[in-house]
Every structure is written in structure tokens, then in C-alpha cells.
């Protein structure tokens, strides 16, 4: 046998320029280039440092509450028919979503850099809440940029951030959603680059963010792998996660990428249906371009203008996607599909009623597709769905759709 | 020699600084742009910087963001901006015009296609905010093929060794971003700018332009001493938009823009 083992190609990305194939990179204004270089150097040193990793692991265990359970949803599985459905319970993390895995990590980086001010963009508000939470714990000044439209539909999270001491800054430009919040956060960063750490919430943006967000979120997949081996005696047959920017999905997928027997499905927001144009599914129907510091798939028109998106879930309402997903799509390792508003809402209700677990509307997209997938699989198969967040924040939206006023 | 290099050489011979106004193509409406470009030249512009509207102008402050939004309401595209330059060229063969914008519209058109069409339209250079040296090789190759200049930004945060790297791949002129912030910000420190420009001069013979935060004759004069060119964007766009918002017609707004530019011209000429 040859000793020249092929290296795991999935550990080789991004390259030194921050590229995943042709995607990724550092497409930002010159003012930020030096801050990105400093961040990358610090991150690479700390990620290889045992003391830093021990500090991070301790925070994840004692503050976030990890490991999160892998739960077999038997009643839901029976109703769906077909494969066994397991849920990775990221909704049980402190602050109620996977976002905190990353904010704990980036806040530690901010601490090591001596930055006293952190900023974040948020869509559904989960990343904003997670950032405000960790800022409160570390005594950092925190500013969260949020589109006016999202502030309206996520009023509860806005108030949570305020209670935590963060300033929530309404963004009134463009479509007034997540992409515009990210523009405004970038503008703030360029203005306060000396004393500010930008905690990006998703696995997108300029290098090194897609890499470090993936690494911080990969705890999801590492735990899932171990838990599935322990509970089922083998690896799952399929993984399913929703994809907006794609941080919960890359976190679940990454530790399994070299396991070729594990199929993966990234579920984008189909909105009113991808055929209507009112959706947020750049991997399903978009084209490559450059936005927010990276080259990736985008929803754009023929002139290269970014298009408005639509999704019932604010956290998926984004016209781009992390560059690693763009690469994984092109090489065919992950299947990118979509679930529309209606079937995601149905999945929200189904899980709530059958399992007593109220999922976030974002995660409900993964549930909706997983149900479709599992129904066509035999009962000895295992499907793991990333339940990336809890649905309390969405009660208002669901009530509104059901015609109920509080 | 490129039109931009020629222009700087001629100005240097006369001991004059270049004045570079910035407006967004299609703002306040597509029909106004070419007229406005000619008016700016008449008021003392040496080079025109024409903004290409983009849906997500990340480096812009509120004034220019709104200009992009107005232009996009009229559907102004990169193709339209090139058509405006082409029309401008029918009456003005001498004033250099550079397109300033973001990577995605150029990427969408395709770098080779962009270079062919822009050069045929009479565009002299491209400045792309979000294409730093690390990402620029592919577009640079096409610009060089058609003889267009590529204008790079240097920031207050750019380290010394990187200035040299940028200077080595630049042509036309270098654009120094005078402050950490977005366009139109108000915290310009002219002494600091002069110090940085001296540092940049040690790396290059290219002319140096300064922009971001220059709003009137005084602030222009304050930085022009150490620079070869000053760029005025937000103040000009705001002057036009402010007039229109107050009920003035396009002709009056154009006059307001000319007055502001004329005052800045006198300011830097009085050095």
C-alpha cells in the first residue's frame, strides 16, 4: 500500500488568499485590509493554542451549556413515515440558537485583541442577541445593526438586546433587512476600525470570517458525529440544515464532509416559491458575484444589482450565502434545495404539536425538507436535522399569519 | 500616454492642482448626467469621477447612498453609465473620465467585455472600492489590454510595505482616502494627511489625489498643498440634491454645483 495518502481536501480550504475554489476572498475597501490581516494572524495563532481552545471549550460547556442533545423525534418520525429523524438541539443553547457558538469564540478574539467595542449585524435578531449577551458578560460596548423591517417583525429580540445593554441601530437603507444591516455594520467598522471588533454572524463576509465562523460552529458537527455513533452505532445517512448565510449548516456539515456515505442537504428559503422570484435561494437559482467581501452565489439582476429577497423567516432573508457553500455546491458534495414559506410553517406546527418543541422559522425550513426526504427512505435510515434555534421569537409572526392579534 | 497622465503632466507644468468632482451616473435622473458633466468641466473640473450605481454601496456615507438609490430608481446600470460617457465624449475629447464603483456590476458584465466597452465609450480608468490588490489581477489584465488606468485606494490604515505593493501595480494616479470612514464623513485631519502623502511619495512618482471628507474651499485648500488632486463628492451631490429638494429646477441645481466647484477651484488655485 502506498503511504502517500490523499489529504482530506475539505481541510485544505480556504487557501492562503481565503478562497474556496473560486469563491471567498477579501473584497473590501482598503481601509479594512489591515484589520483583516491582523485578525487572521491572531486567529491562526490562537486556534492552534491549547490554552485558548481550553478557554473556549470551558465557555461552551459552562456558559452555553454544551454539548447540546441529539434527540430522536419518534412521534414526528412516525407521522412522517420512513427514516428515523434525529434533531440536533441547538435551540437549547443559551440564548436559544446556534449563533452563540460563534459569538463566544469571536468575543474571545476581541478580548485577546484588546478591543472594547463590538458591532454586529442581525436579521432575525438571534445573532444580535447572542452578541449582546456575550458583550454584557465581558463588559464590552455593543452596537447591533438591524434592518427596520426586521425590527418590526422581531420586536421581542430587539427588546432583549436593549435589556442586555446593547444599542440597536435601525437601518433604513435599501431593503431594510439583513443585507443592509451588514452594509451598515461594514460602514461602522471602517469608521471605528481601531477600537472595534466586528462580530460577523454568518459564515460569509471577507476572509478570514467564513473560515473562523465555520471553525467555531463546527462544534455542532463534531458533537453530532460522536452522539450518532453512540446512540445509533453508526453515522447518519443524511444531514439537513437550513441555509441563509449558512453558519449552522457549515457547522453541522464540515466534520462529515470526508464521510462520503453521509448525504447532505442545505435548505434555502423558497419564500413564495422559487418560480415566483420572491425567495431567498441564491444557491438554487442565483449566479456567482461579489457582495459583502466575498465571491459567492447571489440573487442579482442582469446589471449586477442585488435583488430583494423574501422569506417568512428574517434569518434566511439574505441574497448571498457563505462561500464554502458555493464551493460545496459546485463540487457536488452538498445538495442545495429549498422549502417554501407554507411548508416551513406547516413543519413549525407539526414539530410543536408532535414533539413539544417549537422550532425557529429558519430551522423549520430544514424540518420541512427533512420530512420530504425521510418519507422516501427506509426505516433503517437515519436523518439528522439541525434544529438551529427555538421558535419563541417567531410566535408573533406565526400569530399574525394565523390572523391573531395580541 | 493615457489621457489621465497627460492631464496631470499639463497641470504640473502650470503648477496647478487637479480638481476631481464625483457625481453618480443617473442622479438625479439619467437625462441630467451628461449635461452636469459638461457643467462641472466649465466650472473648473480637470477629471470627472462618475459613480456607477450599486444596490449595496458599502463605502458610502448617507448622501451618496441616497444618490445611488435615486439612480437605481431610474434603473441606471453600468451600461448606461458607459453610454453617458460616450455621449459626453461627443463634445469633450480631452477631460479624463473615470468610473468609480463596486466589483459586482463589473464582474457581472465580465471583465473583458467591460474593458472593451468602457474603452470604446471613452472611459479612461476604473476605480473599484472593493477590489483591493489581492483581488484585482484579473480585471487589471483586461484594463491594461485596452490601455485603461486602474486607480487604487490607499487608506490611513495601509502599512508602509503595502503602499509600495499598491504603487507598483497602479497607474494614472493614486487615491488617498483621507480618513477612516465612509464618503462625506466630517473628521478630516489635514496635517495627518500631509504626513501620509509624504510617506506615499517616497514609494511612487504617480500623482496623488485626496478624497473623502473634502466639502468646501477651506478643506480642499488644506489638503491640496500636499496633494496633486482633490476629489469632491458628497458635498457636490448634496448641493444638487438639496437644491432639488428645496424646489429648485435642474438648471438651478446645476448652477449650485458649479458655484461650489468654482469656489473650491479658487481655493486650491490660491495656494
Amino acid at each position: 500500500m502506498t503511504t502517500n495518502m490523499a489529504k482530506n481536501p475539505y481541510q485544505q480550504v480556504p487557501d492562503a488568499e481565503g478562497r474556496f475554489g473560486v469563491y471567498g476572498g477579501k473584497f473590501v475597501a482598503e481601509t479594512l485590509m489591515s484589520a483583516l490581516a491582523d485578525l487572521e494572524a491572531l486567529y491562526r495563532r490562537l486556534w492552534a493554542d491549547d490554552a485558548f481552545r481550553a478557554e473556549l471549550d470551558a465557555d461552551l460547556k459552562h456558559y452555553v451549556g454544551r454539548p447540546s442533545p441529539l434527540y430522536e423525534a419518534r412521534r414526528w418520525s412516525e407521522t412522517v413515515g420512513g427514516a428515523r429523524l434525529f434533531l440536533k438541539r441547538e435551540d437549547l443553547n443559551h440564548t436559544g440558537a446556534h449563533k452563540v457558538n460563534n459569538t463566544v469564540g469571536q468575543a474571545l478574539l476581541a478580548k485577546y485583541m484588546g478591543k472594547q467595542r463590538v458591532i454586529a449585524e442581525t436579521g432575525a435578531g438571534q445573532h444580535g442577541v447572542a452578541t449582546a449577551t456575550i458583550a454584557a458578560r465581558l463588559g464590552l460596548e455593543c452596537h447591533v445593526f438591524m434592518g427596520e423591517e426586521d425590527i418590526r417583525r422581531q420586536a421581542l429580540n430587539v427588546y432583549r438586546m436593549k435589556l442586555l445593554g446593547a444599542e440597536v441601530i435601525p437601518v433604513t437603507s435599501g431593503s431594510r433587512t439583513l443585507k443592509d444591516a451588514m452594509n451598515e455594520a461594514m460602514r461602522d467598522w471602517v469608521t471605528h476600525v481601531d477600537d472595534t471588533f466586528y462580530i460577523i454572524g454568518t459564515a460569509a463576509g471577507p476572509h478570514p470570517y467564513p473560515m473562523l465562523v465555520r471553525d467555531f460552529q463546527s462544534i455542532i458537527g463534531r458533537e453530532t458525529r460522536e452522539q450518532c455513533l453512540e446512540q445509533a452505532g453508526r453515522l447518519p445517512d443524511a444531514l439537513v440544515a437550513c441555509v441563509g448565510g449558512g453558519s449552522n449548516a457549515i457547522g453541522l456539515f464540515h466534520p462529515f464532509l470526508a464521510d462520503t456515505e453521509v448525504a447532505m442537504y442545505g435548505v434555502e428559503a423558497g419564500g413564495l416559491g422559487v418560480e415566483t422570484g420572491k425567495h431567498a435561494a441564491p444557491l438554487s437559482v442565483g449566479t456567482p458575484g461579489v457582495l459583502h467581501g466575498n465571491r459567492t452565489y447571489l440573487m442579482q439582476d442582469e446589471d449586477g444589482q442585488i435583488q430583494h429577497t423574501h422569506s417568512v423567516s428574517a434569518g434566511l432573508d439574505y441574497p448571498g450565502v457563505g462561500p464554502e457553500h458555493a464551493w460545496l455546491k459546485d463540487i457536488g458534495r452538498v445538495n442545495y434545495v429549498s422549502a417554501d414559506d407554507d411548508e416551513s410553517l406547516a413543519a413549525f406546527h407539526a414539530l410543536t404539536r408532535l414533539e413539544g418543541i417549537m422550532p425557529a422559522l429558519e430551522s423549520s425550513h430544514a424540518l420541512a425538507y427533512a420530512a420530504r426526504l425521510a418519507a422516501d427512505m427506509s426505516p433503517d435510515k437515519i436523518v439528522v436535522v439541525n434544529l438551529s434555534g427555538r421558535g419563541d421569537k417567531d410566535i408573533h409572526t406565526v400569530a399574525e399569519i394565523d390572523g391573531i392579534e395580541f | 500616454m493615457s489621457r489621465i497622465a497627460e492631464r496631470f503632466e499639463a497641470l504640473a507644468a502650470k503648477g496647478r492642482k487637479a480638481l476631481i468632482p464625483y457625481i453618480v451616473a443617473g442622479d438625479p435622473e439619467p437625462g441630467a448626467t451628461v449635461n452636469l458633466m459638461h457643467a462641472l468641466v466649465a466650472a473648473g473640473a480637470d477629471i470627472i469621477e462618475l459613480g456607477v450605481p450599486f444596490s449595496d454601496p458599502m463605502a458610502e456615507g448617507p448622501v451618496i447612498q441616497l444618490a445611488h438609490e435615486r439612480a437605481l430608481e431610474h434603473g441606471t446600470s453600468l451600461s448606461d453609465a458607459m453610454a453617458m460617457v460616450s455621449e459626453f465624449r461627443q463634445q469633450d475629447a480631452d477631460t479624463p473620465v473615470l468610473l468609480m464603483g463596486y466589483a459586482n456590476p463589473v464582474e457581472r458584465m465580465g471583465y473583458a467585455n467591460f474593458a472593451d466597452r468602457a474603452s470604446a465609450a471613452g472611459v479612461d480608468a476604473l476605480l473599484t472600492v472593493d477590489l483591493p490588490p489581492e483581488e484585482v489581477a484579473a480585471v487589471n489584465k483586461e484594463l491594461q489590454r485596452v490601455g485603461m488606468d486602474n486607480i487604487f485606494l490607499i487608506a490611513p490604515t495601509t502599512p508602509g510595505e503595502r503602499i509600495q505593493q499598491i504603487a507598483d501595480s497602479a497607474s494614472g494616479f493614486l487615491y488617498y482616502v483621507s480618513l477612516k470612514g465612509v464618503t462625506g464623513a466630517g473628521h478630516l485631519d489635514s496635517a495627518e494627511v500631509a504626513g501620509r502623502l509624504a510617506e506615499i511619495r517616497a514609494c511612487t512618482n504617480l500623482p496623488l489625489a485626496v478624497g473623502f471628507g473634502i466639502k468646501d474651499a477651506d478643506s480642499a485648500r488644506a489638503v491640496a498643498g500636499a496633494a496633486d488632486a482633490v476629489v469632491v463628492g458628497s458635498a457636490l451631490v448634496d448641493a444638487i440634491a438639496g437644491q432639488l429638494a428645496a424646489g429648485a429646477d435642474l438648471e438651478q441645481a446645476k448652477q449650485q454645483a458649479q458655484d461650489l466647484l468654482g469656489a473650491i477651484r479658487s481655493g486650491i488655485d490660491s495656494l
Side-chain angles (χ1 to χ4, degrees):
Chain A
M1 243 184 92
T2 172
T3 52
N4 186 18
M5 298 259 296
K7 284 185 180 169
N8 176 351
Y10 305 106
Q11 303 293 346
Q12 311 303 311
V13 292
D15 66 13
E17 272 79 47
R19 294 209 175 79
F20 302 85
V22 300
Y23 303 104
K26 284 197 234 192
F27 295 85
V28 295
E30 175 61 23
T31 309
L32 295 176
M33 290 302 285
S34 146
L36 291 172
D38 292 349
L39 175 60
E40 182 181 357
L42 177 91
Y43 172 72
R44 287 193 186 277
R45 180 168 67 73
L46 290 177
W47 192 244
D49 180 288
D50 290 342
F52 174 83
R53 295 293 287 270
E55 193 177 351
L56 177 62
D57 287 348
D59 278 357
L60 290 174
K61 182 175 178 187
H62 301 294
Y63 189 68
V64 174
R66 304 205 69 90
S68 67
L70 181 68
Y71 165 75
E72 181 165 9
R74 291 203 170 83
R75 286 196 73 209
W76 184 47
S77 297
E78 277 166 26
T79 308
V80 166
R84 295 165 70 185
L85 286 155
F86 286 72
L87 305 176
K88 178 60 173 165
R89 297 290 308 275
E90 292 299 301
D91 59 314
L92 293 177
N93 292 336
H94 179 40
T95 71
H98 74 290
K99 291 293 185 188
V100 72
N101 302 326
N102 167 52
T103 52
V104 161
Q106 289 197 46
L108 268 187
L109 297 179
K111 193 177 99 176
Y112 275 79
M113 289 182 118
K115 309 267 186 186
Q116 285 303 309
R117 183 177 181 272
V118 295
I119 57 171
E121 83 293 339
T122 198
Q126 290 305 102
H127 174 59
V129 165
T131 304
T133 297
I134 200 71
R137 177 174 172 243
L138 296 177
L140 303 172
E141 181 186 333
C142 178
H143 301 262
V144 178
F145 295 90
M146 189 167 185
E148 223 175 33
E149 169 65 13
D150 291 337
I151 285 180
R152 188 191 63 77
R153 54 183 169 173
Q154 299 291 345
L156 183 65
N157 270 344
V158 174
Y159 188 55
R160 282 170 83 191
M161 287 184 267
K162 288 179 181 165
L163 287 173
L164 288 159
E167 189 186 341
V168 180
I169 299 148
V171 175
T172 57
S173 54
S175 59
R176 305 174 182 206
T177 59
L178 181 54
K179 88 171 169 72
D180 310 283
M182 199 151 178
N183 290 334
E184 210 52 43
M186 287 277 186
R187 290 176 189 128
D188 180 285
W189 196 28
V190 98
T191 306
H192 302 102
V193 64
D194 292 331
D195 68 345
T196 295
F197 191 104
Y198 181 14
I199 299 185
I200 293 186
T202 193
H207 179 65
Y209 282 101
M211 171 179 75
L212 63 88
V213 174
R214 172 197 73 194
D215 291 350
F216 288 138
Q217 291 293 0
S218 289
I219 185 77
I220 303 171
R222 290 199 303 273
E223 285 178 5
T224 301
R225 206 168 188 287
E226 228 170 79
Q227 291 165 323
C228 194
L229 287 170
E230 190 188 304
Q231 291 175 36
R234 64 182 184 84
L235 294 178
D237 299 287
L239 303 174
V240 183
C242 64
V243 178
S247 68
N248 90 79
I250 203 69
L252 177 65
F253 296 165
H254 195 258
F256 289 95
L257 287 171
D259 300 311
T260 49
E261 70 271 34
V262 181
M264 299 182 193
Y265 299 86
V267 186
E268 297 192 298
L272 303 181
V274 287
E275 70 288 348
T276 65
K278 294 186 184 310
H279 57 81
L283 288 168
S284 304
V285 293
T287 48
V290 172
L291 180 70
H292 292 154
N294 60 141
R295 180 178 285 122
T296 187
Y297 278 86
L298 300 174
M299 286 177 55
Q300 58 178 325
D301 67 16
E302 58 188 21
D303 296 328
Q305 308 297 348
I306 307 306
Q307 290 172 315
H308 288 199
T309 50
H310 168 85
S311 171
V312 69
S313 65
L316 302 182
D317 215 343
Y318 181 67
V321 64
E324 191 158 9
H325 288 294
W327 178 67
L328 291 168
K329 171 191 158 75
D330 281 10
I331 64 172
R333 177 64 187 95
V334 178
N335 306 291
Y336 292 93
V337 295
S338 64
D340 66 23
D341 286 354
D342 287 346
E343 61 178 328
S344 302
L345 280 162
F348 170 94
H349 288 295
L351 201 76
T352 303
R353 292 298 293 269
L354 292 166
E355 298 287 349
I357 297 172
M358 192 178 291
L361 285 176
E362 289 76 16
S363 320
S364 300
H365 286 71
L367 295 166
Y369 186 79
R372 261 197 268 157
L373 181 72
D376 289 335
M377 293 168 78
S378 60
D380 59 323
K381 301 290 187 189
I382 295 172
V383 176
V384 174
V385 186
N386 199 1
L387 193 67
S388 55
R390 69 181 185 217
D392 310 44
K393 68 179 176 61
D394 296 313
I395 290 173
H396 190 82
T397 304
V398 173
E400 207 170 72
I401 290 165
D402 289 345
I404 294 160
E405 273 183 51
F406 294 117
Chain B
M1 191 185 286
S2 76
R3 201 155 16 206
I4 288 175
E6 274 174 25
R7 177 54 55 107
F8 273 106
E9 206 162 84
L11 287 167
K14 285 188 272 182
R16 279 183 72 174
K17 311 287 185 180
L19 178 56
I20 309 180
Y22 166 97
I23 54 171
V24 176
D27 172 43
E29 57 180 59
T33 302
V34 174
N35 221 332
L36 207 46
M37 289 167 76
H38 288 305
L40 295 173
V41 173
D46 297 300
I47 297 172
I48 303 257
E49 188 176 338
L50 190 61
V52 179
F54 183 48
S55 51
D56 295 82
M58 282 191 306
E60 315 298 347
V63 167
I64 294 180
Q65 283 174 46
L66 287 174
H68 281 251
E69 287 186 13
R70 287 191 294 268
L72 287 173
E73 273 164 29
H74 293 286
T76 312
S77 64
L78 175 57
S79 296
D80 295 332
M82 294 192 303
M84 290 171 193
V85 177
S86 186
E87 193 188 331
F88 173 78
R89 282 276 170 258
Q90 289 171 13
Q91 287 178 50
D92 188 330
D94 303 323
T95 307
V97 177
L98 70 108
L99 293 182
M100 176 179 186
Y102 293 81
N104 201 52
V106 180
E107 175 133 337
R108 184 75 172 145
M109 183 175 280
Y111 294 152
N113 190 17
F114 167 80
D116 288 336
R117 291 178 59 187
S119 114
V123 175
D124 299 287
L126 175 69
L127 195 174
T128 322
V129 178
D130 51 354
L131 283 180
E134 284 79 352
E135 307 292 352
V136 86
V139 72
N140 233 1
K141 200 179 99 197
E142 296 300 332
L143 296 180
Q144 280 163 5
R145 178 176 60 79
V146 297
M148 275 172 66
D149 288 318
N150 190 12
I151 310 300
F152 283 91
L153 299 172
I154 292 178
T157 51
T158 307
E161 67 275 17
R162 193 175 161 82
I163 293 177
Q164 189 64 60
Q165 182 199 340
I166 293 173
D168 290 346
S169 48
S171 64
F173 64 93
L174 283 164
Y175 186 134
Y176 180 65
V177 177
S178 64
L179 47 79
K180 292 169 195 156
V182 293
T183 50
H187 49 280
L188 181 67
D189 178 342
S190 56
E192 193 183 307
V193 170
R196 287 288 283 172
L197 290 179
E199 204 181 329
I200 299 167
R201 287 223 192 269
C203 302
T204 183
N205 293 319
L206 285 172
L208 306 183
V210 175
F212 284 44
I214 294 162
K215 57 180 188 298
D216 52 21
D218 287 344
S219 49
R221 192 166 45 225
V223 296
D228 303 300
V230 294
V231 183
V232 184
S234 297
L236 193 60
V237 170
D238 200 28
I240 297 168
Q243 282 288 305
L244 293 173
D249 62 19
L250 265 175
E251 203 52 39
Q252 291 165 308
K254 189 175 84 180
Q255 187 58 50
Q256 180 77 9
Q258 286 188 303
D259 291 349
L260 175 68
L261 207 63
I264 293 173
R265 176 85 260 170
S266 315
I268 60 176
D269 285 348
S270 71
L271 276 166

